[in-house]
Amino acid sequence: MKKKFKIIIALFAFLLLTAGFVYNYVFNAKHRDIASEEATISLSADELYLNFETNEASATVSYLDKVLETKGEISSVEDTDVVLNNRIQVSFNSQHNSSLKKGDFLTIKGRCLGYDELLEVVKIDQATIIK
Amino acid sequence: MKKMKHTLSLVLIIVSSIALQAQNKYIDKKGTLTFEASEELFEPVKATNESVTTILNTETNEIASLALIKGFRFKNSLMEEHFNENYIESETYPKAIFKGKLLDFSFSNLMENQIEVVVDGTIELHGKEKQIKTTLKINKLDDLIILKGSFTVTPSDFDIDIPKVVENKIAKNIIVYLDFKLAQK
């Protein structure tokens, strides 16, 4: 009798624990932390743009949602964004260093969002400055 | 006298063509679009995109807006994953585009106080097109044109299947809120 009771308690505790884990997984799963991920692809700002311009569908498959490292010359600084080579619009993870200015060369790492045909730019978000 | 008239009209033509070139384009590169499909008692189904592009031509009143789907951020990362992979299929259809017109709108009459404007156009999303007509609020603040408002769509408008299991947790009507601040380019 006592043994049976113990088994039931153990089973109940196990179920509760599993439920807790499932709940935590479903509702509190962490977002990707792009800043701590390694860049899987590295290419110049011009190369990146050219790939989207020549074949958007295949570039989307290759780069969408991937962590990229890219380098270019800052062609404009707007609030929290910078544009590299007039072609890559980069949004930073946090407030970026305000010392960034037009004409500087910059290497960043960020997540590729895809091609914006209205502005004719490739967008990158959650970026961090490499150098 | 006649020659002077000629010169004058020539000057006028040049001046007006320069004025035309002086751009009637207003652009927002970082507009906000939020959609909400929450049902009471269930976890909110809501996502925001803070890098929406909008271009308004104040000469023709044509307006175009583009949101990259991957730019929609949910509070719940698993929901974001399901949204991208199962529902909207962002790898295949990476963007949502609206193209339309502001009806009976005159830019020169636009003032600081908010007025209503009817926008009519087409949204392309998930490989499908859907006509949208909605009333938005517009005003001018310093050099910015501010456009705000909302409209409603349904998943079936764009052939997006919602599985039976989650049917109760996702609202039939999805409200889309927009907030654009356009600056002259």
Side-chain angles (χ1 to χ4, degrees):
Chain A
M1 193 60 198
K2 223 178 171 186
K3 205 175 173 191
K4 208 174 176 187
F5 187 66
K6 262 187 183 162
I7 290 174
I8 289 173
I9 292 276
L11 212 65
F12 188 71
F14 176 74
L15 273 176
L16 209 67
L17 213 62
T18 318
F21 273 122
V22 169
Y23 179 88
N24 195 43
Y25 174 70
V26 172
F27 293 103
N28 299 319
K30 285 230 164 58
H31 278 277
R32 280 172 78 184
D33 180 12
I34 303 297
S36 68
E37 281 185 38
E38 287 285 333
T40 46
I41 302 158
S42 173
L43 74 182
S44 78
D46 282 337
E47 269 179 281
L48 179 59
Y49 177 76
L50 210 65
N51 282 324
F52 273 96
E53 201 196 18
T54 42
N55 189 342
E56 199 188 329
S58 85
T60 299
V61 172
S62 318
Y63 303 124
L64 190 72
D65 215 29
K66 300 273 195 308
V67 180
L68 308 179
E69 189 178 306
T70 186
K71 186 185 176 185
E73 187 183 348
I74 298 176
S75 49
S76 67
V77 181
E78 290 155 16
D79 298 332
T80 55
D81 284 19
V82 301
V83 181
L84 301 178
N85 295 13
N86 282 317
R87 292 303 183 205
I88 313 291
Q89 188 181 330
V90 182
S91 300
F92 287 96
N93 218 348
S94 48
Q95 205 66 25
H96 69 78
N97 195 336
S98 55
S99 67
L100 292 176
K101 56 184 190 297
K102 202 176 157 179
D104 286 352
F105 280 88
L106 188 68
T107 307
I108 59 102
K109 177 177 81 175
R111 179 182 71 137
C112 182
L113 286 183
Y115 182 67
D116 179 333
E117 70 217 36
L118 292 182
L119 294 175
E120 296 178 325
V121 296
V122 176
K123 285 191 173 176
I124 287 180
D125 79 346
Q126 300 172 65
T128 40
I129 295 171
I130 304 289
K131 74 174 188 225
Chain B
M1 191 59 197
K2 208 177 174 190
K3 201 177 174 194
M4 201 175 140
K5 241 184 179 169
H6 269 286
T7 331
L8 196 70
S9 55
L10 195 69
V11 167
L12 265 177
I13 288 168
I14 291 170
V15 167
S16 59
S17 64
I18 288 173
L20 266 181
Q21 273 189 354
Q23 290 300 321
N24 315 299
K25 266 191 185 167
Y26 278 75
I27 296 184
D28 185 1
K29 292 181 174 182
K30 298 279 286 175
T32 306
L33 207 56
T34 300
F35 71 81
E36 181 151 20
S38 307
E39 281 286 23
E40 259 180 81
L41 302 176
F42 289 104
E43 201 190 1
V45 179
K46 186 178 174 183
T48 301
N49 189 328
E50 289 177 335
S51 60
V52 179
T53 300
T54 302
I55 300 180
L56 170 67
N57 184 328
T58 52
E59 182 85 4
T60 61
N61 289 337
E62 283 172 315
I63 184 164
S65 200
L66 184 149
L68 293 169
I69 303 295
K70 285 282 185 196
F72 282 101
R73 307 301 308 276
F74 290 72
K75 196 167 154 247
N76 181 326
S77 67
L78 207 66
M79 205 185 274
E80 186 170 314
E81 202 180 305
H82 288 166
F83 165 75
N84 277 294
E85 287 173 11
N86 305 343
Y87 301 135
I88 211 150
E89 298 169 274
S90 56
E91 302 253 325
T92 322
Y93 310 106
K95 51 194 142 192
I97 305 169
F98 172 82
K99 280 181 182 148
K101 238 176 160 170
L102 307 184
L103 303 182
D104 304 318
F105 173 73
S106 157
F107 173 65
S108 48
N109 294 337
L110 192 63
M111 301 286 175
E112 242 179 67
N113 55 314
Q114 241 178 18
I115 53 165
E116 294 196 328
V117 63
V118 178
V119 185
D120 187 12
T122 321
I123 295 182
E124 195 192 324
L125 171 72
H126 198 245
K128 290 283 165 304
E129 285 193 354
K130 150 99 181 155
Q131 204 222 341
I132 290 283
K133 195 171 179 179
T134 186
T135 306
L136 301 176
K137 294 208 160 67
I138 191 167
N139 67 321
K140 205 174 163 195
L141 199 67
D142 299 323
D143 295 327
L144 296 175
I145 296 179
I146 297 174
L147 192 61
K148 283 183 185 181
S150 66
F151 58 90
T152 307
V153 290
T154 69
S156 58
D157 287 341
F158 303 101
D159 277 4
I160 295 168
D161 289 326
I162 307 293
K164 276 261 176 318
V165 226
V166 294
E167 216 175 39
N168 301 328
K169 298 174 187 165
I170 299 173
K172 301 282 169 293
N173 289 309
I174 298 169
I175 308 170
V176 186
Y177 302 94
L178 59 92
D179 187 348
F180 300 148
K181 294 177 181 63
L182 303 119
Q184 191 163 26
K185 263 284 128 72

